[in-house]
Amino acid sequence: MGTVLQFVVLGLGLGAVYIGLGSGLLLVHRATGMINFAQGAIATWGAYVFAELRNTGTLVFPIGSVDLGEPPSATALVIALATAIALGFAVHYLAFRPVQQNSVLAQVVVSVALLITIQALVVLRFGPNKIDVESFVPGGTVTLFGAAIPTRELSIALVMIVLAALVWCYLRFTRMGIATRAASENERAAVLMGFSPSWLAAIAQAGAAFVGTVSVILASSLTGLNADWFGLLVVPALAVLLVAKLESIPVLVVAAIGLGAFQSLIGLLVTQPWWPVWAQSGLDQVIPFAVVMVILFVTGKRLPTRGATQQIRLPDVPIPRMRPLVAIGLLVAAGLALAFTTGTIRFGLTTSLILSLLALSYVVLTGYLGQISLAQSAFAGAAGFVLSKASVGWGIPFPISMVLCALLATALGMLVALPAFRIRGAQLAIVTLAAGLGIERFIFNNYSLSPPEGKPIADASLFGLNLAVREGRDLSRLAFSLMVLVIVAVVIWVFVRVASGDMGRAFLAVRANERAAESSGINVRRTKVIGFALSAFVAGIAGCLIGFSRGQLSAESFTVMAGLQLLAVAYLGGITTIGGSLVAGLIGPLGISYVLMRTWLDLGEYYELVLGLALVLTAILNPVGIAGAVRHQVEFVRRKLRRPSASPPVDGAPRRTEEASHV
């Protein structure tokens, strides 16, 4: 009993972070209706500012720094919190406010872009290593039921409960808080109360940054500060937010404490001799996804959404058509590019082709069906990891092994599609992100299932033709690259056939209006399952090709952050078109643009920062992406060329209006 109580109390430190991040998420949602996936990254930046002030006396800005000597802890805390508040205001006015009236997809993309950008800034400005953080809370223990209970975790949890109570009081009893709640249902109500909805949202964003930063500073004094870990703690915090139905602070606090304590107890259970070896790693990250799934299917109700005063138009989706000449031209150009390059450049081009398939999986699911999924990297990783067993352990030859593994990813995609029956938009993005993180931590990072040195994958061969990516000193063989080009062309051809047929029209009908699609005879649930299945199959093919290109796979190949970057490049390229997926492949991580930035410009470490900033600007200024903008320009030029030009009147000749006046 004493040991169990100790672990429960140790989990309060984690629960305190969930309270801080969850309260901030709820506050922003009540003010704007948006889900801030960058909440953890914003709080992590403030915590790093505090740690750097205490460790070196340097106040670090995104650009530049100031030496403040050795400020006392209280002064460093005030400066760090002021920095977090300023960042909250900047996030609202520079990113969230411009897309507040855009589609949910644009809002999710901006939030994800901020997560990528801020985490890239943290690594660039503070380094990738974990650093220690000074604790404000005195340590010590108290004896309870014969066990020594740490008091620091109790104190941290109490501080965050008090802050959450203040957020609740602000929303419930203050005039600004009541106006914020009113604005969440109808912005005109806040205006009638004499408040600007934008100002209320800015205050909420700043308050969320404040509360989140306090929680990360306090919790990092127990564990140390790591950008990736604390940035992704937003996932369980989002699960807690869904438990609270996006509106109840008391329920959120109870759920956060319960989740933190339960995850800590899992750490105790895995040490028991009867606990299975395969479940000793990552199970705590599966819990948030399992909790959300149970709530969705037990309650059987949709989560509340923010009231809207207008219908928001989604990006245009052009129906693809078979254009043999264009397709042949692109294939010849790609083949020549692969044939006349070698080494790193050819490998970068090959990787771009593979990434275009991953981006195409987003085009299928998000661009055509309108379902926002953040688990595509997990689908690709599942197929890639099983490919190792299929090709090496079972001896299944290529391409049968690749198709079977892609079908396994398809089954996983159909499972993840189940929440889409009840929720959509940002809420579905939360669930799929939790699913992706759970798969990453429980399967990819589980050393009993995936050894740390990676899982080897047998080289591909077909009818005696060696299709291996490497042979001797040749690190990027042309045969492998051409094989990838053929597979990409076949998958795109299949997608064009599907998208231009009845199923593609069903996708677009569901995307536009689910109720209208249902009333017209379309089975919405079946259509969603087919969309998830097709998207996961395409991602699975891409995951297998990644495995063949690496020779072995490790967890780093399919992290959640890698998946978010893929969403970023898919949206940046144009998430509703095949051309957008090709552009996304060119600018994707480890693709040809990354290779050129790293080898020619020596700017590879700035790739994520550039990607995040470009994505923010794209979501705000050009929601159709690069390919969409090019298409619009081409159509504009065509319209100009087709318009008959009016002959200018000859000098002295009467104009048409003058002629008419003489009739």
Side-chain angles (χ1 to χ4, degrees):
M1 178 63 184
T3 304
V4 172
L5 186 59
Q6 280 182 325
F7 272 82
V8 169
V9 173
L10 289 174
L12 293 181
L14 198 56
V17 182
Y18 300 159
I19 292 174
L21 297 180
S23 299
L25 289 166
L26 187 148
L27 187 59
V28 171
H29 184 267
R30 294 308 301 268
T32 65
M34 299 172 62
I35 302 295
N36 185 8
F37 291 91
Q39 180 68 31
I42 294 172
T44 302
W45 175 270
Y48 265 97
V49 170
F50 170 77
E52 193 71 16
L53 281 171
R54 291 301 299 144
N55 293 339
T56 66
T58 304
L59 175 58
V60 178
F61 299 103
I63 300 176
S65 59
V66 177
D67 186 5
L68 299 181
E70 296 183 1
S73 297
T75 303
L77 178 63
V78 170
I79 294 174
L81 293 178
T83 302
I85 292 172
L87 181 58
F89 278 111
V91 163
H92 171 71
Y93 284 107
L94 298 180
F96 276 15
R97 183 184 178 185
V99 299
Q100 194 164 343
Q101 300 302 324
N102 288 8
S103 67
V104 175
L105 175 60
Q107 296 172 0
V108 170
V109 165
V110 161
S111 186
V112 169
L114 287 173
L115 170 60
I116 296 172
T117 302
I118 296 174
Q119 290 214 164
L121 272 175
V122 168
V123 173
L124 288 173
R125 302 298 290 152
F126 300 101
N129 299 323
K130 183 169 70 174
I131 62 176
D132 296 328
V133 180
E134 179 184 356
S135 175
F136 283 96
V137 182
T141 59
V142 295
T143 302
L144 189 63
F145 296 107
I149 305 301
T151 59
R152 182 170 293 173
E153 283 81 358
L154 290 170
S155 301
I156 291 174
L158 181 60
V159 170
M160 294 315 304
I161 290 173
V162 170
L163 286 178
L166 292 176
V167 173
W168 179 78
C169 291
Y170 167 77
L171 289 173
R172 192 166 186 85
F173 299 115
T174 67
R175 195 163 180 267
M176 287 185 63
I178 294 173
T180 299
R181 292 164 53 202
S184 68
E185 299 298 330
N186 191 333
E187 292 184 352
R188 296 189 183 94
V191 173
L192 292 175
M193 294 178 66
F195 292 99
S196 165
S198 179
W199 174 245
L200 292 174
I203 293 294
Q205 193 69 253
F210 177 89
V211 176
T213 300
V214 171
S215 69
V216 173
I217 289 175
L218 292 176
S220 60
S221 65
L222 303 172
T223 62
L225 191 56
N226 180 276
D228 291 336
W229 192 71
F230 275 100
L232 289 178
L233 281 185
V234 71
V235 177
L238 286 166
V240 168
L241 181 67
L242 292 185
V243 173
K245 299 293 184 67
L246 289 82
E247 58 186 14
S248 174
I249 289 286
V251 174
L252 184 146
V253 170
V254 173
I257 293 176
L259 179 59
F262 190 63
Q263 287 179 314
S264 181
L265 284 176
I266 292 295
L268 172 63
L269 293 177
V270 298
T271 63
Q272 303 303 310
W274 49 267
W275 191 265
V277 176
W278 58 268
Q280 290 183 349
S281 175
L283 186 61
D284 57 330
Q285 297 300 327
V286 179
I287 295 171
F289 174 65
V291 168
V292 171
M293 291 287 287
V294 169
I295 289 175
L296 288 175
F297 286 94
V298 169
T299 60
K301 297 179 180 178
R302 295 186 184 274
L303 294 168
T305 56
R306 186 171 187 257
T309 58
Q310 60 179 352
Q311 293 292 327
I312 298 174
R313 190 168 180 264
L314 296 170
D316 294 333
V317 180
I319 303 299
R321 293 179 297 172
M322 298 299 298
R323 297 179 177 177
L325 293 180
V326 174
I328 293 173
L330 289 175
L331 283 173
V332 171
L336 291 175
L338 293 172
F340 287 97
T341 55
T342 58
T344 304
I345 302 299
R346 179 188 288 168
F347 189 79
L349 288 171
T350 307
T351 302
S352 289
L353 288 172
I354 299 173
L355 292 178
S356 67
L357 283 187
L358 275 174
L360 184 64
S361 72
Y362 280 108
V363 172
V364 173
L365 190 59
T366 304
Y368 273 74
L369 192 57
Q371 307 299 303
I372 306 176
S373 170
L374 302 181
Q376 303 303 103
S377 181
F379 300 153
F385 274 86
V386 176
L387 179 64
S388 173
K389 189 69 174 178
S391 61
V392 177
W394 302 332
I396 301 177
F398 171 86
I400 299 174
S401 59
M402 181 179 67
V403 174
L404 290 178
C405 293
L407 289 175
L408 175 68
T410 302
L412 187 61
M414 295 171 69
L415 177 64
V416 175
L418 296 180
F421 293 167
R422 301 189 184 276
I423 58 175
R424 63 174 70 87
Q427 289 84 7
L428 181 60
I430 294 173
V431 176
T432 54
L433 180 60
L437 184 61
I439 293 171
E440 175 194 336
R441 300 288 171 83
F442 185 62
I443 297 179
F444 302 160
N445 284 329
N446 191 335
Y447 292 161
S448 64
L449 300 175
S450 306
E453 66 273 10
K455 303 191 72 172
I457 294 176
D459 292 333
S461 63
L462 184 64
F463 303 122
L465 178 62
N466 182 13
L467 300 176
V469 66
R470 296 176 182 85
E471 186 178 42
R473 294 185 177 181
D474 190 354
L475 301 181
S476 182
R477 297 180 65 245
L478 179 60
F480 175 80
S481 299
L482 292 178
M483 176 197 73
V484 171
L485 177 60
V486 171
I487 292 175
V488 170
V490 171
V491 172
I492 291 177
W493 176 78
V494 172
F495 169 72
V496 171
R497 298 285 295 180
V498 172
S500 59
D502 293 339
M503 184 54 62
R505 294 183 179 89
F507 285 172
L508 295 179
V510 172
R511 174 183 185 263
N513 191 311
E514 291 186 13
R515 292 182 180 177
E518 191 78 43
S519 64
S520 64
I522 296 174
N523 189 322
V524 173
R525 291 192 173 189
R526 185 182 66 181
T527 302
K528 287 184 177 181
V529 170
I530 293 174
F532 269 90
L534 180 60
S535 174
F537 182 83
V538 174
I541 293 291
C544 291
L545 292 178
I546 291 174
F548 284 126
S549 69
R550 304 292 191 271
Q552 66 176 18
L553 287 180
S554 61
E556 287 72 20
S557 302
F558 302 102
T559 63
V560 167
M561 284 304 300
L564 295 179
Q565 291 177 10
L566 287 170
L567 171 64
V569 297
Y571 192 89
L572 188 58
I575 204 165
T576 61
T577 63
I578 296 174
S581 67
L582 297 177
V583 173
L586 294 175
I587 62 179
L590 301 181
I592 187 61
S593 296
Y594 175 86
V595 170
L596 295 179
M597 285 183 64
R598 186 168 185 174
T599 57
W600 292 1
L601 304 176
D602 196 23
L603 295 175
E605 61 181 353
Y606 295 98
Y607 172 80
E608 292 183 6
L609 178 61
V610 173
L611 176 63
L613 292 175
L615 184 57
V616 172
L617 293 175
T618 299
I620 295 173
L621 302 177
N622 184 31
V624 294
I626 296 173
V630 172
R631 186 181 72 254
H632 288 174
Q633 291 299 319
V634 171
E635 292 175 353
F636 175 78
V637 172
R638 286 178 177 174
R639 286 196 301 269
K640 287 292 186 181
L641 293 177
R642 290 173 183 172
R643 182 179 301 173
S645 57
S647 301
V650 182
D651 290 342
R655 297 180 181 272
R656 186 173 183 84
T657 55
E658 295 176 345
E659 293 174 353
S661 64
H662 285 81
V663 175

